Structures are given as structure tokens and as C-alpha cells.
Amino acid sequence: MLAYFLYPYVQNRDVREYTKVDLLQPEKVEELFDYCQILEAYITKTGWQFLIESYGYDKLYEIDKRSGWLSDRSSESSIEEYIEWVKYEISISK
């Protein structure tokens, strides 16, 4: 599993998985980042690896700036700082 979205208000805790096909669409990656920002989605280590290989840090940073998830954690956000946040997210991922 690369990433998933939890529907938090459904009694049986339905899960929506993001597939490789989904994550090859930048708008789906932005959607995923939006859900991660509000703690309703999760990216696995394998998912991060796929995203980095597919987009590279520069493109992920651009997508994330539209979402405002990791790149919005400081007023002076830079690509270097973004990479450090991604590395942190990878380190705490399963």
C-alpha cells in the first residue's frame, strides 16, 4: 500500500487506497497532501519512495506549496527545508 485515506466518520472505518495510477496524477498527490494535512491520510515509506522517484523533490515541493502541508510549516520555507520535512515524514512512516 502506497498511501490511504481514512473516512473518519464512517462506523466501519472505510479506507480508500491511493494506487500508483492515482499518484501519477499531480492533482491526486495534491489531494493526498491536503488529507495528510488534516490527519485523514497517510503515506507509507513505499509511497514516499514512489513519489520521490516519480516526481523528484522539486516537483513534490511545487505540489505541496499548492496544498500547504509540509511547505507551510514556516514562513521562510525552502526546498532544503521541505526535503528535511519529507525525510522526517519518511522516518515516522510504516
Side-chain angles (χ1 to χ4, degrees), residues 63-74:
I63 295 168
D64 187 76
K65 284 197 302 188
R66 291 192 303 268
S67 166
W69 176 35
L70 299 175
S71 63
D72 205 32
R73 292 189 177 184
S74 79

Side-chain angles (χ1 to χ4, degrees), residues 4 10 27 34 44 48 55 58 62 64 69 71-72 94:
Y4 56 90
V10 177
E27 62 276 359
D34 288 342
T44 65
W48 276 115
Y55 293 96
D58 289 334
E62 288 177 27
D64 187 76
W69 176 35
S71 63
D72 205 32
K94 294 179 182 182

Side-chain angles (χ1 to χ4, degrees), residues 6 13 20 34 37-38 41-42 44 47 64 68-69 75 77 80:
L6 295 173
R13 303 287 295 177
K20 287 182 179 183
D34 288 342
Q37 184 174 351
I38 59 173
Y42 180 80
T44 65
D64 187 76
W69 176 35
S75 60
S77 181
E80 293 80 16

Side-chain angles (χ1 to χ4, degrees), residues 18 28-38 41 43 48 51 59-61 63-65 67-70 82 86:
Y18 284 85
K28 286 290 188 182
V29 176
E30 183 178 349
E31 174 187 285
L32 173 61
F33 287 175
D34 288 342
Y35 286 129
C36 287
Q37 184 174 351
I38 59 173
I43 304 170
W48 276 115
L51 289 171
K59 182 67 175 170
L60 286 176
Y61 181 58
I63 295 168
D64 187 76
K65 284 197 302 188
S67 166
W69 176 35
L70 299 175
Y82 178 73
V86 169

